[in-house]
Amino acid sequence: MTAATSNIVFRELRPTDRAAVLALHADPAGTDGYFRFFGPPPKNLDRVVGSIASTDRTHCAVGAFIDDHLIGVANFVVLDNDVSAEIAMVVAAGEQHHGIGTDLLFRLAALGRARGLHRFIAEVMPTNSKAMRLIIDSDLPISAHRSDGAIQIAFHLRKSGPSSASRRHRAARANT
């Protein structure tokens, strides 16, 4: 089910979205599941999904929907310092390369800023070229270092919206 980004509705997830979040995470294509979990999906996937579909002081998730079908999720969990949050994202294989991940990241960043967060932290496998491209395309200031075979990225959330270069990229993507 591939559609133009204009047909996609983005909204914060609710506990009633739990089954849709589970279905999206339970069937990752190819290496997507490996890149998402750094191995096979965890045996306690239902518990992981439960925290993704929670909205409270320390959890937030935004979903991308075509009609009522969930095609992507970006979420954060606030860390102990209350100014940083760990983020994760998944987009259905057939919906990748359409800018959905970038749009999810921008929306999640806005929600994080509204909650007083200063940075997002993400661990990315160096071989995950899709995630690395999304990070570059986000145009958010980042810092990165390698740790235990992964790259730890810190996205520094700034007060303003995306830069003009990022807006041009998104406009070009919308015209393709």
Side-chain angles (χ1 to χ4, degrees):
M1 172 190 302
T2 301
T5 56
S6 61
N7 297 334
I8 299 173
V9 174
F10 295 87
R11 67 167 171 80
E12 281 188 67
L13 295 181
R14 304 180 282 260
T16 55
D17 295 312
R18 184 182 184 126
V21 175
L22 182 59
L24 181 64
H25 281 79
D27 192 28
T31 57
D32 289 350
Y34 180 75
F35 286 146
R36 169 66 176 89
F37 296 110
F38 288 51
K43 294 189 186 308
N44 62 348
L45 186 58
D46 189 55
R47 189 174 61 136
V48 171
V49 164
S51 70
I52 293 171
S54 298
T55 299
D56 57 32
R57 191 182 72 71
T58 60
H59 297 87
C60 185
V62 64
F65 294 83
I66 295 177
D67 298 323
D68 288 328
H69 183 72
L70 182 64
I71 59 166
V73 170
N75 69 292
F76 67 72
V77 177
V78 177
L79 301 174
D80 291 338
N81 65 12
D82 288 333
V83 296
S84 300
E86 185 174 0
I87 65 168
M89 184 180 307
V90 63
V91 175
E95 302 300 336
Q96 295 175 6
H97 306 291
H98 300 293
I100 296 165
T102 303
D103 287 339
L104 284 167
L105 180 60
F106 283 134
R107 285 169 168 78
L108 195 67
L111 292 168
R113 276 188 221 95
R115 292 181 182 208
L117 296 175
H118 297 180
R119 77 189 61 77
F120 284 157
I121 307 295
E123 287 196 0
V124 179
M125 296 182 78
T127 55
N128 188 344
S129 60
K130 293 175 191 176
M132 298 305 275
R133 172 56 43 198
L134 184 141
I135 291 163
I136 292 166
D137 287 349
S138 78
D139 202 33
L140 290 169
I142 63 167
S143 57
H145 71 277
R146 193 171 210 135
S147 175
D148 296 328
I151 299 173
Q152 187 174 62
I153 311 278
F155 294 86
H156 304 282
L157 304 178
R158 57 180 178 232
K159 298 289 181 198
S160 63
S163 72
S164 59
S166 180
R167 284 191 299 273
R168 281 192 308 273
H169 171 77
R170 292 175 72 195
R173 190 181 64 235
N175 293 325
T176 58

